[in-house]
Amino acid sequence: VQLVESGGGLVQPGGSLRLSCVASGFTFSTYLMTWYRQAPGKERELVAGIISPGGMRNYADSVKGRFTISRDNAKNTVYLQMNSLKPEDTAVYICYARNIVSGYDYWGQGTQVTVSS
């Protein structure tokens, strides 16, 4: 089982990034997919989650209106489009998969996002 994130990097405040998480080794379409983030010295926090391509999404209040989560089950990939980035968005962004029936879950290694001028 693997969750491989990509798309992180250094961006100026107000800029955009698109993160991707490619899954393998499990039935992607049956898993709730979530992005978390963890900044140095802070607790890991939920950023956004999605159940199905056209289904319910949830977002942290701090990213509502700026971030959009989506998924492509044919590509086993979940995305996080991040716009209007702020310095406080700086963190390691981590992909998480959980089957809501079995409870099996998996974590990715994370991708660093740094928002700085």
Side-chain angles (χ1 to χ4, degrees):
V1 172
Q2 275 194 312
L3 293 172
V4 180
E5 301 96 334
S6 63
L10 174 63
V11 63
Q12 291 188 339
S16 298
L17 283 174
R18 188 195 196 204
L19 306 183
S20 299
C21 171
V22 180
S24 60
F26 61 96
T27 307
F28 179 77
S29 61
T30 65
Y31 279 68
L32 165 67
M33 298 302 299
T34 306
W35 286 97
Y36 282 81
R37 67 186 181 187
Q38 188 161 22
K42 293 189 176 181
E43 297 278 325
R44 185 172 293 185
E45 64 169 341
L46 184 147
V47 176
I50 184 169
I51 292 179
S52 62
M56 186 178 68
R57 296 164 170 82
N58 65 296
Y59 297 93
D61 287 343
S62 59
V63 307
K64 281 180 182 176
R66 300 188 298 121
F67 290 11
T68 303
I69 188 170
S70 61
R71 65 188 292 165
D72 184 339
N73 286 350
K75 296 182 178 180
N76 286 358
T77 302
V78 61
Y79 305 97
L80 186 67
Q81 178 67 43
M82 306 187 296
N83 299 329
S84 302
L85 283 160
K86 304 175 181 180
E88 52 263 43
D89 294 318
T90 295
V92 175
Y93 284 71
I94 307 159
C95 185
Y96 174 69
R98 183 171 184 270
N99 186 295
I100 58 176
V101 175
S102 68
Y104 291 141
D105 64 347
Y106 311 107
W107 290 93
Q109 292 297 310
T111 185
Q112 177 69 47
V113 171
T114 302
V115 185
S116 176
S117 55

